[in-house]
Amino acid sequence: MFKCEMGLYDMIVNLEKYFLSDDAEDSLQFSVDLKEIEIDGVYPFPFPVKVQANLKSFSNSVLLDIQFSYIIQKPCDRCLEVAKEEYSEANSYVIVTALNEEDQDGRYILAENKLLNLDELVYSSVITEFPTKFLCSSDCKGLCPMCGQNLNEGDCSCDKKQVDPRLEVLRQLMDHKE
Ligand SMILES: [Zn+2]
Ligand SMILES: [Zn+2]
């Protein structure tokens, strides 16, 4: 469904000092460029993802609080007009160098070599959360199945109640043949 060029991601943080110390703490701000990411034939992330991450030592592990906001811009699934929507996410993780059985929920990140690829984390969250239905507004009226008019811009004169749109498509095909 999506393509990605590996090598785009280079926000790699060395976590060594957070594992060695008890009170190391840093706050990072950066952006992730996803404009090359193609999903179903469109490039829905023309603007950089803005990320704020906090890293903190925590008893042989590292706490990561990460927040990011991004914009999806793509055609509405109903009316095909290009629409833009802003999303934001906030997640907390515990980064460990080895996983116990009971740690295997999404809250833990395994970093055996004490390296954390933040770009990849942001990328996979954004892709996982990508909406299966993207609408310009929740009450988008879509297109008339008969004439293709954008019904958000006004009603057309087709009688939508009586005709099954699938039969109508057939009828239009027949008309064209005559
Ligand atoms: Zn729409
Ligand atoms: Zn119509």
Side-chain angles (χ1 to χ4, degrees):
M1 186 175 106
F2 58 86
K3 291 180 203 162
C4 84
E5 297 287 323
M6 279 330 236
L8 278 176
Y9 317 111
D10 48 13
M11 187 67 197
I12 295 172
V13 181
N14 188 335
L15 300 170
E16 193 82 46
K17 70 169 182 183
Y18 305 98
F19 282 105
L20 289 174
S21 142
D22 283 332
D23 56 2
E25 184 169 359
D26 284 298
S27 166
L28 308 167
Q29 273 178 309
F30 59 99
S31 60
V32 181
D33 184 0
L34 298 180
K35 65 175 189 288
E36 305 284 327
I37 303 298
E38 184 191 332
I39 299 178
D40 294 338
V42 296
Y43 296 89
F45 310 108
F47 311 101
V49 180
K50 286 180 231 149
V51 188
Q52 159 86 48
N54 290 291
L55 289 159
K56 201 176 170 187
S57 305
F58 178 70
S59 69
N60 290 324
S61 62
V62 182
L63 294 183
L64 167 66
D65 284 312
I66 187 164
Q67 293 162 30
F68 50 91
S69 61
Y70 58 101
I71 289 168
I72 293 180
Q73 180 176 283
K74 70 184 282 283
C76 168
D77 288 338
R78 263 184 218 158
C79 71
L80 309 178
E81 291 290 317
V82 173
K84 198 159 127 176
E85 180 140 11
E86 185 160 2
Y87 296 82
S88 57
E89 265 186 67
N91 294 311
S92 297
Y93 299 98
V94 180
I95 304 164
V96 292
T97 49
L99 277 179
N100 298 322
E101 292 274 305
E102 63 268 27
D103 293 343
Q104 291 180 1
D105 63 32
R107 225 163 62 82
Y108 290 87
I109 295 175
L110 178 64
E112 279 168 311
N113 52 9
K114 302 199 175 98
L115 295 175
L116 174 66
N117 190 331
L118 280 171
D119 280 7
E120 206 166 77
L121 183 65
V122 170
Y123 166 78
S124 56
S125 305
V126 167
I127 294 299
T128 309
E129 295 295 315
F130 196 77
T132 48
K133 195 145 198 84
F134 183 80
L135 299 176
C136 62
S137 84
S138 56
D139 57 357
C140 171
K141 296 188 181 79
L143 302 177
C144 167
M146 285 164 252
C147 70
Q149 151 112 0
N150 183 341
L151 299 173
N152 298 312
E153 288 164 5
D155 212 353
C156 58
S157 50
C158 303
D159 188 349
K160 296 176 206 65
K161 287 195 186 70
Q162 285 184 5
V163 190
D164 180 326
R166 288 162 297 182
L167 293 177
E168 182 57 21
V169 170
L170 275 177
R171 197 190 62 77
Q172 282 181 359
L173 286 171
M174 306 287 268
D175 282 353
H176 279 291
K177 278 187 188 152
E178 279 162 19

